[in-house]
Amino acid sequence: MRLAYSLVDWQALAPGLHGREAWQDWAQQGTVIDPQEPMAKPQFLPMMTARRLSGGSRAAVECGLALLACQQVDAIVFTSRHGELERNLRILTMLADQQAMSPTDFAMSVHNSAVGSLTIAAKAPLVSTSIAAGIDSFQQGLIEVSALHQAGYEQVLLVDFDGIVPDYYLPWLSEQRINFPYAVALLLRAGDQLHCTGRAAAKERTPSPLPQSLRFLQQWLAASPTFSLPGERLTWHWERNYG
């Protein structure tokens, strides 16, 4: 498998990281993201919408709105391994305790609630997809982006995000190395700026301390000419074209 893209623009949010200069410093210095640092307050997201969203979804929609405000976007792909896991655990807990569940939790518990909130907040009825594919969600999102390029959508917004995984689930997620809300938004065109080749992952895979999208952003901002994104089944090898 060989795919190619050009990165038109990007946005990202994580605890203590907001704005391009902060992200550039993080990528070049290799510092660890501190989950105790605060998330930046939304600048594009309406307050009432922000209050309804979980931490990861809030970051994803804010990043998406920031790019929609200044760029042409023809289609949207959201990827998230866990989606609304916090909200769904609350619903299950309320049901187990035979208590009334929150209408907001019920309405916003589906996996595509974040991308739906983005198109509603932006008043942009764009083609959208929401993908969950385990630790490879970002990789699968890139394949979806390529499919949309082939279908004629020139600039596709890919937003990868996750929120806090509740402690209840952590014993079953031994590879979960970080646990804080984050979002990475990439506006991608078909092009030759970036090439990636998928190869079978090694049987004894070394888990990355960062999710695939944050690892991608780190290597991009550090101007790495080549880098790899390990996954469950495929390791994607990236080559950057400076021509």
Side-chain angles (χ1 to χ4, degrees), residues 59-116:
V61 176
E62 173 70 8
C63 288
L65 287 173
L67 289 178
L68 281 165
C70 63
Q71 298 284 357
Q72 173 191 336
V73 175
D74 302 311
I76 305 171
V77 177
F78 265 41
T79 61
S80 176
R81 178 181 184 182
H82 301 298
E84 297 297 326
L85 197 58
E86 297 173 84
R87 201 183 299 275
N88 278 279
L89 180 60
R90 282 202 301 271
I91 290 175
L92 293 172
T93 301
M94 298 300 285
L95 289 173
D97 294 339
Q98 297 185 340
Q99 298 182 25
M101 70 181 70
S102 161
T104 298
D105 280 345
F106 181 78
M108 302 296 288
S109 63
V110 294
H111 192 272
N112 65 345
S113 63
V115 70

Side-chain angles (χ1 to χ4, degrees), residues 8-9 64 66-76 124 126 152-157 186-189:
V8 178
D9 204 349
L67 289 178
L68 281 165
C70 63
Q71 298 284 357
Q72 173 191 336
V73 175
D74 302 311
I76 305 171
L126 296 169
Y153 298 94
E154 293 186 3
Q155 298 202 153
V156 181
L157 174 60
L186 309 174
L187 185 59
L188 297 165
R189 292 178 61 91

Side-chain angles (χ1 to χ4, degrees), residues 142-172:
L142 287 165
I143 294 173
E144 183 73 9
V145 168
S146 288
L148 288 166
H149 287 159
Q150 291 293 321
Y153 298 94
E154 293 186 3
Q155 298 202 153
V156 181
L157 174 60
L158 171 61
V159 184
D160 181 71
F161 73 99
D162 257 315
I164 295 175
V165 177
D167 291 343
Y168 178 85
Y169 294 105
L170 292 179
W172 289 274

